[in-house]
Amino acid sequence: MEVIEEIVMLMHKTVYSGPSRKSEQRVELSVHGMLMGWTDGDTSVKSQRIQSTLESEWERGGADALATFMRGVVGPCIIEVSAADVIWLFASCASSGFYWMPVLGEGEKQHEYLVSNQEGRFLRAALHTGGELTEGAVMNAVLSHQSVIRPPFSGLVEGTHRCPPGFYVEFAPGEARLQTFLINKEPKTRRRQDADLAKKMQAVADIYESYCKDIGATATMSFSGGVDSTALLLLHKNGLNKGTHGYYIDRGKIPEKKMACEIARRAGFRIDFIEPIEGFSATDARRRAETGLAVLNGVGYMKHGFQYCPVEADGGKPRLVLTGQNSDMMFHVDHYAPSSFTTGLMRYVRMAEGVPPRFRKTVLYYAFLQVTNKSDLSGGLPPGVVESYTGLSEHGADAGALANQVGHVVMDYKHKHYVVPATRWFQIAVYPELNSARLHSGQKVNHAERLARWVRTIGSIQQQFLNNGTHEGLVICTPFSEGPVAVELLSYRLGLRDLLMPKRFLHGIIRSQLGVSYSRVRHEVLGGGWIDLPSQIARYGARLIKRLAKRLLKQHRKEQAKSSTSRHAIRIDDLRSLRDVLGHQDGVVERTLLNYVDDDECRMYLNRLYDCLELRVEPDGLNKTDGMQLCRLVNLQVLLEAEGPASG
């Protein structure tokens, strides 16, 4: 085994078939990454005792006992247990998971696997050993949002496999078996869930603090001023770097920045406000892109050099960056609510519009589906999951806007690599467990729905974080998807009160810590309360009348299109910068991705993006979606063209 960096593996695992003596069955347990501790909310094991506790669990009950123990593990890590003829790899809930593929061994009784959680290096190694990159994989990687860019159980290259976070793989002679430890069959009331969740989130914060002290690390918060990062900032305040508790990346969002300033002032936190960088480094962006997919996500991120954490390292100490990412999915699957910074009438309108779809994520609704036989826990996927698996965006927007054949290519790929494997997993592993559980029908469907979204999104986001962290020399931590918290939220019971107050659990944390509600702070900073409602109605009414007048004059569509393109306009300098990242000769780029694509419409689609990079298309006609696709195209091509499997 070769361990390249503390949290990055690229290694060959070999298992042997045939008889072996008991004396040869010595078991070795090792940790890759940051194993910070363990908690169930009532009891905690800190970092100094966690390794010995792991070993005790294995001795007590082997793989089954360790799998159950992993539900309480805190920290992004992979636990390896190896014997002469079997190797187990357990991916913690906060990890990125890992990839693997079988490769030829040296003899009939030798079975070798390439295993890695370093995406770029693994994918290049898979291609080097003869793996195939299909046109569907290429188009999906260019067109899909970073939250849905990776299939749940396979890699970009055909014949490669993926172990999501919260799963483990048993590598035995001739077989690699994927299993999960996420299924929770314990019935709980919502009140009990909230009580346990409060204890677990505080325990996780305490473990983070203790771990940083033990290893001499610094921890900082990626802070936006929204509900998620505010709640985390308050919970983790004792464990954060005393010099700078967090940082805010200024992307020109004025309401967001005002809220971040006010929350920091009220809570007594020191927050660094990061302005756009002066110069853009194509070399740095290229090295970042070599690490894996979804690290060049959009033109707007170029202003800060695509950096996740622009704060300089503190004397070479290990660095942790905490983020509120995954909160929306973990609490609500899709919360269908306005942002934390939307105010006034528009907030009420958007909140009201989200009531029906939020109701479709409640246990009551799931129970109704079971009673009316509209949901069957024996075959297929939970309600609405197919649409979310075949969409291009985090919230399930379909490929209907694409050219007909391009849409077919992407949809066929998603059906084969997202829907079919997930359906098979639910039929074999999930539904039998849920059907034997002491849960009522609505709770079973609720748990299945949340598990489906977990395998679709969480691993993809956390792989993106590992890619960025590898390049920047830090570890991006996701407290909302740490094992103890994930176990609670993957069976979280939404009720009718959640329709009008999304994330009310987090609002409760903020109120108890600050002594004032988040909504009150927002009203004081941004306005938009009930007293302002008449003036807002008048203002929005005037806008509506103006729009109707334009429509009558047949000018509405023209103005709307102009507004849309100008709002997300891409500058010619942005295209030049992306072209520099890709590399070019006298303005002409290599169109490498065309080597993997045969379909004429797909080639035409990619050629248009390449034309943009060669400045053959006016940037004024490009929008935000074009910018994201251009970034993903450059990201993918740089990843593929990096020198050999060991690059990055």
Side-chain angles (χ1 to χ4, degrees):
M1 178 188 71
E2 176 191 5
V3 180
I4 294 173
E5 294 181 22
E6 185 180 15
I7 60 168
V8 177
M9 305 181 299
L10 181 63
M11 56 194 178
H12 284 78
K13 291 295 180 184
T14 305
V15 294
Y16 299 89
S17 58
S20 59
R21 296 184 297 272
K22 283 190 176 182
S23 60
E24 297 174 338
Q25 290 297 313
R26 186 169 62 91
V27 173
E28 295 183 0
L29 189 150
S30 54
V31 176
H32 307 282
M34 288 186 165
L35 175 59
M36 299 181 184
W38 177 93
T39 186
D40 62 2
D42 295 315
T43 304
S44 293
V45 179
K46 300 296 178 65
S47 61
Q48 293 179 343
R49 293 193 299 115
I50 187 62
Q51 178 91 16
S52 61
T53 307
L54 275 176
E55 293 169 354
S56 297
E57 285 297 314
W58 180 267
E59 291 173 0
R60 182 179 66 83
D64 291 341
L66 189 55
T68 301
F69 187 79
M70 290 295 297
R71 293 153 64 93
V73 162
V74 177
C77 60
I78 294 171
I79 310 299
E80 177 185 355
V81 182
S82 57
D85 56 351
V86 184
I87 296 172
W88 293 266
L89 290 176
F90 297 80
S92 76
C93 291
S95 74
S96 65
F98 58 88
Y99 294 97
W100 88 89
M101 70 176 296
V103 294
L104 293 177
E106 296 179 356
E108 292 182 2
K109 295 182 179 181
Q110 182 173 335
H111 307 270
E112 193 166 321
Y113 298 89
L114 178 69
V115 183
S116 180
N117 63 353
Q118 216 290 3
E119 188 171 51
R121 299 172 76 171
F122 175 83
L123 295 177
R124 290 190 291 272
L127 287 172
H128 184 72
T129 58
E132 179 188 4
L133 185 60
T134 67
E135 67 180 6
V138 169
M139 298 306 295
N140 183 66
V142 172
L143 298 174
S144 290
H145 184 267
Q146 62 260 30
S147 62
V148 294
I149 198 170
R150 298 171 182 87
F153 300 112
S154 60
L156 186 71
V157 177
E158 288 290 302
T160 60
H161 307 276
R162 180 167 174 78
C163 174
F167 285 67
Y168 62 105
V169 179
E170 177 185 351
F171 295 96
E175 179 187 23
R177 191 158 64 102
L178 179 71
Q179 301 174 74
T180 187
F181 49 83
L182 289 174
I183 298 174
N184 183 2
K185 298 192 286 186
E186 182 182 2
K188 287 185 181 182
T189 64
R190 170 61 181 273
R191 179 174 295 183
R192 168 79 183 282
Q193 285 180 324
D194 282 344
D196 288 350
L197 188 59
K199 291 188 294 184
K200 288 182 174 183
M201 290 191 70
Q202 185 58 60
V204 168
D206 293 342
I207 288 173
Y208 273 45
E209 179 185 3
S210 174
Y211 181 77
C212 287
K213 289 179 180 178
D214 289 343
I215 70 168
T218 64
T220 189
M221 176 72 64
S222 175
F223 185 58
S224 69
V227 170
D228 306 328
S229 61
T230 296
L232 283 186
L233 191 68
L234 294 167
L235 282 171
H236 288 261
K237 57 187 175 183
N238 293 330
L240 296 174
N241 183 9
K242 298 301 183 286
T244 302
H245 296 96
Y247 64 91
Y248 172 89
I249 297 182
D250 189 351
R251 303 193 193 279
K253 300 177 180 180
I254 296 175
E256 181 181 283
K257 186 176 182 179
K258 286 182 177 180
M259 282 295 291
C261 290
E262 180 61 17
I263 293 292
R265 184 191 69 79
R266 286 177 178 262
F269 289 119
R270 287 180 289 277
I271 303 295
D272 281 346
F273 288 82
I274 310 297
E275 300 296 328
I277 60 176
E278 297 256 336
F280 175 78
S281 171
T283 299
D284 182 79
R286 187 180 305 115
R287 289 174 178 166
R288 181 184 300 272
E290 291 175 359
T291 64
L293 300 171
V295 292
L296 310 183
N297 282 327
V299 170
Y301 297 96
M302 293 174 64
K303 295 178 182 179
H304 294 87
F306 295 113
Q307 290 177 301
Y308 189 85
C309 179
V311 180
E312 292 185 4
D314 182 11
K317 293 181 179 180
R319 290 193 295 162
L320 277 63
V321 177
L322 280 61
T323 172
Q325 179 67 45
N326 299 336
S327 173
D328 288 357
M329 182 254 131
M330 297 303 296
F331 277 97
H332 284 269
V333 185
D334 275 315
H335 75 326
Y336 299 105
S339 79
S340 298
F341 317 105
T342 303
T343 61
L345 181 62
M346 187 56 66
R347 182 170 190 83
Y348 301 132
V349 170
R350 290 180 179 174
M351 191 68 76
E353 289 175 344
V355 167
R358 281 197 296 278
F359 175 70
R360 291 193 288 272
K361 303 300 179 185
T362 62
V363 173
L364 179 62
Y365 177 74
Y366 294 137
F368 168 76
L369 291 181
Q370 284 289 88
V371 170
T372 57
N373 294 320
K374 293 183 178 179
S375 179
D376 179 18
L377 290 183
S378 61
L381 291 170
V385 170
V386 171
E387 291 79 5
S388 75
Y389 273 39
T390 54
L392 296 176
S393 75
E394 183 176 8
H395 305 293
D398 62 27
L402 299 173
N404 188 46
Q405 186 56 29
V406 177
H408 281 312
V409 169
V410 176
M411 291 290 282
D412 288 347
Y413 178 82
K414 286 185 178 290
H415 182 77
K416 178 181 177 181
H417 292 274
Y418 290 63
V419 176
V420 172
T423 301
R424 186 182 305 117
W425 176 63
F426 269 87
Q427 290 172 340
I428 295 173
V430 178
Y431 291 149
E433 290 288 327
L434 290 181
N435 285 327
S436 67
R438 293 183 298 108
L439 303 171
H440 70 64
S441 58
Q443 291 174 311
K444 293 178 181 179
V445 180
N446 176 54
H447 194 22
E449 168 90 6
R450 288 170 176 269
L451 286 169
R453 184 59 63 94
W454 172 278
V455 298
R456 190 207 74 167
T457 297
I458 298 298
S460 194
I461 291 294
Q462 291 174 184
Q463 182 67 58
Q464 173 192 352
F465 285 165
L466 177 61
N467 295 344
N468 272 313
T470 299
H471 179 70
E472 297 182 28
L474 51 85
V475 177
I476 303 170
C477 300
T478 53
F480 285 118
S481 52
E482 288 287 3
V485 177
V487 167
E488 292 297 331
L489 291 179
L490 282 172
S491 56
Y492 201 55
R493 300 178 59 175
L494 295 178
L496 297 180
R497 291 177 63 189
D498 298 292
L499 303 184
L500 300 178
M501 176 61 81
K503 299 182 186 176
R504 57 189 177 92
F505 175 84
L506 297 182
H507 280 276
I509 290 176
I510 294 170
R511 188 184 301 109
S512 66
Q513 296 276 345
L514 280 184
V516 62
S517 71
Y518 185 90
S519 299
R520 170 59 60 182
V521 176
R522 177 173 54 222
H523 171 59
E524 292 178 1
V525 174
L526 303 179
W530 288 105
I531 195 171
D532 302 317
L533 195 57
S535 62
Q536 291 181 37
I537 292 175
R539 184 167 64 252
Y540 285 115
R543 290 182 184 177
L544 179 61
I545 292 172
K546 187 176 180 180
R547 289 179 181 178
L548 289 173
K550 287 182 177 180
R551 182 172 295 178
L552 291 173
L553 294 172
K554 297 183 179 180
Q555 295 178 349
H556 176 70
R557 288 189 177 181
K558 180 178 179 181
E559 291 295 325
Q560 187 181 52
K562 181 179 179 181
S563 173
S564 176
T565 56
S566 62
R567 185 166 57 249
H568 302 303
I570 297 174
R571 301 172 304 153
I572 194 166
D573 285 345
D574 297 329
L575 298 177
R576 288 196 179 105
S577 294
L578 283 175
R579 187 177 63 183
D580 289 343
V581 175
L582 191 61
H584 64 94
Q585 185 171 1
D586 298 327
V588 178
V589 301
E590 288 288 335
R591 305 192 175 203
T592 302
L593 298 187
L594 296 179
N595 296 333
Y596 303 96
V597 176
D598 294 323
D599 180 80
D600 290 340
E601 289 191 26
C602 290
R603 292 176 66 86
M604 188 182 304
Y605 197 99
L606 293 179
N607 272 320
R608 175 183 174 272
L609 295 177
Y610 281 119
D611 286 344
C612 293
L613 296 174
E614 293 182 354
L615 310 184
R616 300 171 185 269
V617 176
E618 284 295 326
D620 289 345
L622 303 177
N623 57 29
K624 181 179 179 180
T625 299
D626 294 319
M628 290 190 292
Q629 292 177 3
L630 286 166
C631 287
R632 290 192 290 260
L633 179 144
V634 171
N635 194 156
L636 178 59
Q637 182 161 323
V638 170
L639 183 159
L640 295 173
E641 291 180 342
E643 292 295 327
S647 181

